[in-house]
Amino acid sequence: MLSLGGSAVVGFAVGNAEQLGWLDKVAPKGVTTLTLIMVSGVVEMHKRFPDDAFAARVAKAKQVTILNTWIPNLELHGRLASFRARGAVMRELDEFEDGLIERFRNHPVLRGAADLPLEDLQTVLLQRRFLSLASTMAYDLAIDLLTDEQSLRIARVIIREEYPGNTSPGSTPWRREDMKADILALGVPREALVRSRKTLATSACIDTTMELIATAGESKHADVELLTILRFWGEVLVSVEYGELWRRIGPMLGDKSVFYYPHHVHDAKSRPLAAASPLSLTHSGQLGLRLVQLIDSHEARQRFRDTEQAVVAIKSAFYDQFTLAS
């Protein structure tokens, strides 16, 4: 019986012989040679096959080759075909989503953000502040309506990050205070912030968002729709907004920004849905991974598309008020 060390040596030698083509030369005619990979120890035991990590790697790979695999009760070729098909579906959804993102980014107000007069920029940010204040309410409502426990855990973690400073409660500003700090740093007088009120268009945007969340909770695919709203309305498009506005804000705040630039970075769609990974550190990435796992039918995919279109319509209507006023 070979020791573990001997097994490793034999495995290494056989692997090299296969790479050099020697096995084919020494094998009798008509005999197919197989490469035997011998493992010298157990690295980690899993209670289940790591579908998520495997799917992410398969989705990104140009070619997948299975040399020889034996895992009890695992038919890997069938899983591979399933994951490849799923990856193709996710790439279609990515293409659809990226088109919506570009359409939103090209809204006249966002496209022309770099040239906004300071007074107009301040007006946009004061109204945008009300949407930001409503974001925690949106998460609260969605958490009430979600049924998937993993989705709930992700949403809870995200909302709690809005209130940092657990080690010294009350001593750390929450995220909306950071927003106020950036707004004041951009020259908005405190009196103007105090006197600011939601316009009818801003109020309608908030009300329509809450209605969209409430209606999603009644759907057969409630978790898919709710996660789509949280990710697209609350994270991905927020990053797009702040990214475009940063072209005007950046030269004024630079590295002193404590709200707009950090949110532009942290909320961004950092990787496509087809390459969703448990290693993602962004909010959109964490929500996206679970969303990919829940989108398991044609109907679920259609609800994803319809929900994202509704979100873009709501966000665009908010910025329309500034084009109409100009």
Side-chain angles (χ1 to χ4, degrees), residues 67-228:
L67 298 178
N68 187 21
T69 301
W70 182 80
I71 301 176
N73 302 317
L74 175 64
E75 201 289 288
L76 193 54
H77 287 277
R79 281 176 178 258
L80 177 60
S82 174
F83 284 133
R84 294 292 273 185
R86 190 170 182 79
V89 169
M90 288 302 117
R91 284 192 290 273
E92 289 180 6
L93 293 184
D94 275 316
E95 186 175 341
F96 172 81
E97 180 176 79
D98 292 344
L100 290 180
I101 290 172
E102 283 308 304
R103 192 176 89 192
F104 179 60
R105 181 179 279 118
N106 282 318
H107 188 283
V109 173
L110 296 177
R111 189 176 64 241
D115 300 320
L116 279 175
L118 181 58
E119 184 177 352
D120 291 348
L121 173 67
Q122 293 174 345
T123 298
V124 170
L125 295 181
L126 284 173
Q127 286 303 307
R128 184 62 185 74
R129 166 175 168 264
F130 291 112
L131 298 191
S132 187
L133 292 173
S135 65
T136 50
M137 181 169 60
Y139 262 90
D140 287 340
L141 180 56
I143 287 171
D144 272 353
L145 303 178
L146 282 166
T147 62
D148 176 62
E149 182 58 35
Q150 191 170 337
S151 300
L152 279 166
R153 287 198 297 268
I154 295 170
R156 289 174 191 140
V157 169
I158 290 174
I159 197 66
R160 284 168 184 161
E161 288 181 2
E162 296 297 308
Y163 304 90
N166 290 335
T167 55
S168 181
S171 63
T172 305
W174 76 300
R175 303 302 184 210
R176 307 306 158 228
E177 291 179 89
D178 290 340
M179 175 179 58
K180 181 186 74 172
D182 270 9
I183 289 175
L184 296 179
L186 287 167
V188 175
R190 181 184 177 279
E191 292 75 15
L193 184 143
V194 171
R195 291 196 303 270
S196 63
R197 300 290 186 273
K198 295 190 295 291
T199 63
L200 291 177
T202 300
S203 294
C205 178
I206 295 171
D207 291 344
T208 307
T209 299
M210 297 307 156
E211 180 60 29
L212 184 66
I213 295 172
T215 302
E218 301 174 349
S219 169
K220 174 184 175 183
H221 296 282
D223 292 324
V224 169
E225 294 183 37
L226 291 167
L227 281 190
T228 298

Side-chain angles (χ1 to χ4, degrees), residues 47-65:
K47 292 183 179 180
R48 65 175 183 83
F49 184 79
D51 288 339
D52 303 341
F54 182 70
R57 291 181 179 275
V58 169
K60 292 186 290 184
K62 294 182 179 179
Q63 179 179 344
V64 179
T65 302

